[in-house]
Amino acid sequence: MTCPVLVDFHGGPEGQATPGFSPGDQLYLKLSPSSYVDRVKGPLLIIQGASDPRVPAGEAIQVFDALTARGVPAELLIFADEGHGAQKRENVVQTIGRQLEFFQKTLKPAAPPPTPTPR
């Protein structure tokens, strides 16, 4: 699946030459994580600044929507007052906290089955 914002900007799905676009644009499309969202098996935590000048927040939302539509566990945290990466202390603290929660939830091994008690 290719995300619509990327298609709107570049004109076509990965690997297809698009008239009017340079080879560099095609390379960007090939290298974009949005072109490979269908390969994500999950889980994924997406942290995004709403005013990021490099990665539009809409792309993060589309990746999140594409994953959740496929049943892939995903979480999305958007900071309205941040750009590319959290800079404000309270947002950095929240980012670290969410990452730790996410890691505990997704990386912590399942509890072993209870040991049967002898009779």
Side-chain angles (χ1 to χ4, degrees):
M1 184 222 143
T2 301
C3 287
V5 165
L6 199 57
V7 171
D8 289 346
F9 184 75
H10 289 283
E14 71 172 294
Q16 293 182 4
T18 305
F21 289 93
S22 72
D25 292 332
Q26 294 301 324
L27 179 61
Y28 175 77
L29 184 61
K30 183 178 179 181
L31 295 174
S32 174
S34 298
S35 296
Y36 304 98
V37 71
D38 60 327
R39 297 181 188 180
V40 175
K41 296 183 173 129
L44 184 66
L45 172 62
I46 304 166
I47 302 175
Q48 175 75 37
S51 58
D52 188 333
R54 295 177 193 93
V55 182
E59 290 185 17
I61 293 167
Q62 286 183 344
V63 168
F64 173 78
D65 288 345
L67 293 174
T68 56
R70 289 184 26 239
V72 175
E75 296 179 26
L76 177 62
L77 174 60
I78 296 180
F79 290 108
D81 58 347
E82 292 285 6
H84 194 75
Q87 302 298 316
K88 297 179 179 171
R89 181 179 173 82
E90 61 272 13
N91 294 342
V92 171
V93 169
Q94 188 176 356
T95 295
I96 293 169
R98 284 292 291 273
Q99 289 170 335
L100 291 173
E101 289 171 7
F102 182 79
F103 293 151
Q104 278 211 323
K105 183 171 34 176
T106 60
L107 300 177
K108 188 175 182 180
T115 307
T117 54
R119 292 184 197 189

